[in-house]
């Protein structure tokens, strides 16, 4: 089997200055808040784009199949830059790359509102994906540094801020639709908010000196079977999550026939529950155990999607999408946590393997929905993705590493 560890062949070690390690708690809290705001800014940008997909689809007169093909451009941009993101962050520093990449991420978001042809939207999403991946690597590096300073696990709270931003982005989108503002004006307003947020917080990003410790490179290797199964679970979850990001608004507009601004109600309900689940996930796992939480999460994904399919009305579909949001919230963080503790495999190698397989779900899920909808219907394509939740529950019960 081809080695999936191409992202983990060099190990980065950061050296934090005494300025940080000996800082007062109040200053550390300010750093944590600043990093949280960058997570929030990234989530707000992505949610802003997602909230206007139905309008852009209508404006460009795109079919489900056309939109499915175009949506490939965003993850393709992420994949193209992925092998270089870590090296750039190491070479120039995560604080510099984060400011640079997030600025261009915001700018590329505004350009999406100017697209008047399918190829322009595809190109815009490709660039959006490139700077999204660079921002993601840089902000998560900042998150790791901050966690080191606090000497406790706080990474889930950062990802919770990203999800909370998704809810806020959907809420802002609802207001923009109510005022009948165009996507471009909407995107410009959000861009101003994010740039203002960056101006108040960039000085508190952590500046760390990094060194690279080369690891022996192998062209072929056989990954641990447990890691592959964990990756498949992540694949199913991220496919469901990607579908909700890109297609929930379209589903509410074309299938549910939600009136006016209510078209993004499904996306909003999904994001609320995903954010809440991430903030509460650690406590739930501590009380009920990983296996139980993951099994219930998988069942919730399937139950939510099937409910939306069989009861295509505003209220039941909104509740159904809330179930999906709660279901996907804890799966990927938990899978990554289990993978990082795999015996005889370094955490970086294990996480790279699992995340590589998982990311394929985010890449393939939304376009597959478009193709299936083109051949049959959007309701049938959601039912197809709904099977993934059942598969998650079955696979979790058979993996010994998950207890």
């Amino acid at each position: 089997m081809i080695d999936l560890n191409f992202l983990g062949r060099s190990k980065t070690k950061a050296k934090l200055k005494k300025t940080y390690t000996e800082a007062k708690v109040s200053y550390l809290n300010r750093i944590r808040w600043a990093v949280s705001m960058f997570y929030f800014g990234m989530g707000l940008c992505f949610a802003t784009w997602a909230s206007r997909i139905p309008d852009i689809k209508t404006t460009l007169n795109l079919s489900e199949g056309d939109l499915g093909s175009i949506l490939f451009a965003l993850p393709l941009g992420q994949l193209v830059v992925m092998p270089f993101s870590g090296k750039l962050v190491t070479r120039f520093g995560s604080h510099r790359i984060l400011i640079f990449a997030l600025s261009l991420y915001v700018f590329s978001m505004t350009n999406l509102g100017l697209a008047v042809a399918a190829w322009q939207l595809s190109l815009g999403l490709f660039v959006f994906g490139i700077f999204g991946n660079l921002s993601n690597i840089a902000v998560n590096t900042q998150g790791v540094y901050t966690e080191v300073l606090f000497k406790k696990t706080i990474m889930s709270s950062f990802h919770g801020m990203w999800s909370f931003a998704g809810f806020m982005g959907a809420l802002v989108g609802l207001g923009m639709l109510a005022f009948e503002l165009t996507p471009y004006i909407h995107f410009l307003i959000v861009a101003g908010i994010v740039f203002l947020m960056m101006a108040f917080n960039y000085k508190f990003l952590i500046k760390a000196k990094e060194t690279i410790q080369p690891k022996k490179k192998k062209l072929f290797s056989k990954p641990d079977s447990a890691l592959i199964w964990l990756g498949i679970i992540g694949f199913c979850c991220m496919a469901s999550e990607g579908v909700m990001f890109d297609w929930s608004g379209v589903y509410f507009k074309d299938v549910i026939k939600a009136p006016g601004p209510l078209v993004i109600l499904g996306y909003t309900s999904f994001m609320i529950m995903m954010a809440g689940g991430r903030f509460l996930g650690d406590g739930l796992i501590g009380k009920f155990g990983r296996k139980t939480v993951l099994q219930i999460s998988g069942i919730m994904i399937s139950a939510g999607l099937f409910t939306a399919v069989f009861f295509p009305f505003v209220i039941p579909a909104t509740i159904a999408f809330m179930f999906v949001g709660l279901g996907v919230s804890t799966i990927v963080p938990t899978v990554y946590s289990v993978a990082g503790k795999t015996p005889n495999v370094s955490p970086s190698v294990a996480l790279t393997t699992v995340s590589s397989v998982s990311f394929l779900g985010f890449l393939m899920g939304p376009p597959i929905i478009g193709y299936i909808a083109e051949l049959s219907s959007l309701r049938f394509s959601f039912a197809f993705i709904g099977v993934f939740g059942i598969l998650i529950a079955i696979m979790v019960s058979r993996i010994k590493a998950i207890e």
Side-chain angles (χ1 to χ4, degrees), residues 134 153 179:
L134 278 172
T153 302
F179 285 106

Side-chain angles (χ1 to χ4, degrees), residues 327-367:
V328 302
S329 64
T330 58
I331 293 176
V332 170
T334 303
V335 163
Y336 285 2
S337 176
V338 173
K341 298 169 185 172
T342 303
N344 304 319
V345 182
S346 68
S348 61
V349 171
L351 290 172
T352 300
T353 302
V354 173
S355 62
S356 297
V357 177
S358 299
F359 183 74
L360 291 176
F362 199 79
L363 169 67
M364 298 174 62

Side-chain angles (χ1 to χ4, degrees), residues 11 15 58 128 131 192 205 212 232 240 342:
K11 189 175 182 181
K15 188 175 182 180
T58 301
F128 193 54
F131 292 113
L205 293 177
I212 301 177
I232 295 173
S240 305
T342 303

Side-chain angles (χ1 to χ4, degrees), residues 249 251-266 312 314:
Y251 193 86
F252 256 64
K253 184 174 184 179
D254 295 347
V255 177
I256 307 299
K257 305 297 183 183
L262 293 182
V263 72
I264 63 171
L265 185 59
V314 173

Side-chain angles (χ1 to χ4, degrees), residues 60 62 65-74 118-119 121-122 125 371:
L60 299 183
L62 301 173
D66 292 335
L67 181 59
S69 297
I70 290 172
L71 292 177
F72 254 128
L74 195 154
W119 71 267
L121 182 60
S122 298
L125 286 173
Y371 296 139

Side-chain angles (χ1 to χ4, degrees), residues 57-353:
K57 174 180 177 290
T58 301
T59 301
L60 299 183
N61 195 27
L62 301 173
S63 68
E64 279 79 9
D66 292 335
L67 181 59
S69 297
I70 290 172
L71 292 177
F72 254 128
L74 195 154
L76 183 60
Q78 294 175 323
L79 281 175
V80 167
V81 77
M82 190 178 290
F84 313 104
S85 299
K87 294 179 181 178
L88 289 172
V89 169
T90 300
R91 173 68 177 82
F92 298 103
S94 59
H95 60 292
R96 295 189 184 95
I97 292 296
L98 181 53
I99 295 169
F100 167 78
L102 185 55
S103 297
L104 291 179
Y105 187 57
V106 174
F107 180 70
S108 59
M109 174 194 67
T110 63
N111 286 339
L112 297 175
L114 295 174
V116 294
W119 71 267
Q120 293 176 344
L121 182 60
S122 298
L123 180 60
L125 286 173
F126 181 79
V127 176
F128 193 54
I130 288 175
F131 292 113
N133 182 265
L134 278 172
S135 299
N136 181 58
I137 298 298
V139 78
N140 276 291
T141 302
Q142 284 287 313
V144 170
Y145 294 164
T146 308
E147 195 171 60
V148 170
L149 292 176
F150 275 81
K151 299 179 180 179
K152 64 179 181 180
T153 302
I154 59 174
M155 186 65 75
S156 61
S157 67
F158 289 141
H159 288 269
M161 287 297 292
W162 190 94
S163 298
F164 177 66
F167 160 67
M168 294 301 297
L171 195 63
V172 171
L174 188 66
M176 298 298 176
L177 285 171
F179 285 106
E180 299 183 350
L181 295 179
T182 65
Y184 182 61
I185 298 300
H186 176 184
F187 295 169
L188 282 179
I189 293 173
V190 172
I193 293 172
V194 176
F195 278 126
L196 189 63
M197 175 217 69
M198 292 173 63
F200 278 103
N201 292 286
Y202 79 94
K203 291 183 179 179
F204 296 94
L205 293 177
I206 296 175
K207 303 172 182 63
K209 183 178 180 181
E210 299 175 350
T211 59
I212 301 177
Q213 300 173 342
K215 297 175 72 177
K216 187 176 180 180
K217 180 179 178 180
K218 287 185 179 181
L219 181 60
F220 296 97
S221 66
K222 184 178 181 180
D224 186 281
S225 60
L227 294 178
I228 295 300
W229 284 111
L230 289 171
I232 295 173
I233 292 173
F235 175 96
C236 292
C237 177
M238 293 194 74
S240 305
E241 186 176 332
V243 165
M244 295 302 294
F245 278 132
D246 291 346
W247 285 98
S248 58
V250 177
Y251 193 86
F252 256 64
K253 184 174 184 179
D254 295 347
V255 177
I256 307 299
K257 305 297 183 183
L262 293 182
V263 72
I264 63 171
L265 185 59
Y267 176 82
T268 305
S269 63
F270 165 77
M271 290 302 302
I272 289 173
M273 296 309 293
M274 187 172 74
R278 285 182 171 170
F279 284 119
L280 299 174
D282 290 337
L284 292 173
I285 290 172
K287 185 174 182 179
F288 300 106
R290 290 192 182 97
K291 182 168 290 189
T292 300
V293 170
L294 290 182
Q295 288 174 326
I296 293 175
S297 296
I299 292 171
M300 291 181 73
I301 291 173
S302 292
L305 288 171
F306 287 141
T307 299
V309 169
F310 291 114
F311 301 96
F313 309 103
V314 173
I315 294 178
T318 299
I319 296 173
F321 282 17
M322 292 173 71
F323 270 81
V324 178
L326 190 59
V328 302
S329 64
T330 58
I331 293 176
V332 170
T334 303
V335 163
Y336 285 2
S337 176
V338 173
K341 298 169 185 172
T342 303
N344 304 319
V345 182
S346 68
S348 61
V349 171
L351 290 172
T352 300
T353 302

